Amino acid sequence: MYFYETGVKLTKLPHPECPHVAVSIVKTFVGRFKKIMDSSQNCKNQDLSAMVQKLDVTERGLFEINRLTVEQLDKWLRRRAHIISPSNLVIQSRKRKRDQIL
């Protein structure tokens, strides 16, 4: 199920229908994008395996990334995620004194 990858390869062929294939691929993706995003954001405690099986590999990746992002945001909003801390680079860097800058 590599619909988009196959479509992109078809558009590179020297055939007069290639521009129409490209337009069709874009319209298909745009039409399915909202449904994929909505499903992945509202999938708590639901079995979406039947829906996910129908998705292309690219769409499955998009679904999973969005699902994980929503999950992480939810944890952060509920303060269950790790505490945000500064990176080691920031901790180790020292403020330069004004004399050093001039």
Side-chain angles (χ1 to χ4, degrees):
M1 296 188 45
Y2 294 92
F3 176 76
Y4 298 106
E5 288 84 356
T6 304
V8 169
K9 289 181 182 179
L10 287 174
T11 60
K12 295 178 183 177
L13 295 174
H15 193 274
E17 293 293 320
C18 288
H20 300 296
V21 171
V23 170
S24 177
I25 290 170
V26 171
K27 283 184 179 180
T28 301
F29 184 77
V30 168
R32 293 173 61 107
F33 180 79
K34 184 175 179 358
K35 181 181 176 185
I36 293 167
M37 298 304 276
D38 286 344
S39 298
S40 63
Q41 289 178 356
N42 301 314
C43 67
K44 292 180 183 178
N45 304 324
Q46 294 180 10
D47 183 22
L48 296 175
S49 58
M51 199 264 315
V52 172
Q53 284 180 340
K54 295 178 183 178
L55 297 177
D56 173 75
V57 173
T58 305
E59 294 171 337
R60 282 184 195 169
L62 182 63
F63 179 90
E64 188 62 23
I65 288 170
N66 193 45
R67 187 188 65 76
L68 291 173
T69 302
V70 168
E71 195 175 287
Q72 290 172 349
L73 176 64
D74 215 23
K75 285 181 182 178
W76 183 78
L77 289 172
R78 294 177 186 192
R79 306 292 190 239
R80 293 183 182 167
H82 297 289
I83 298 171
I84 299 174
S85 59
S87 70
N88 290 335
L89 182 65
V90 173
I91 292 170
Q92 293 173 358
S93 69
R94 298 179 189 155
K95 290 185 180 179
R96 290 188 269 173
K97 294 183 181 180
R98 187 170 184 197
D99 294 339
Q100 292 174 340
I101 297 172
L102 300 175

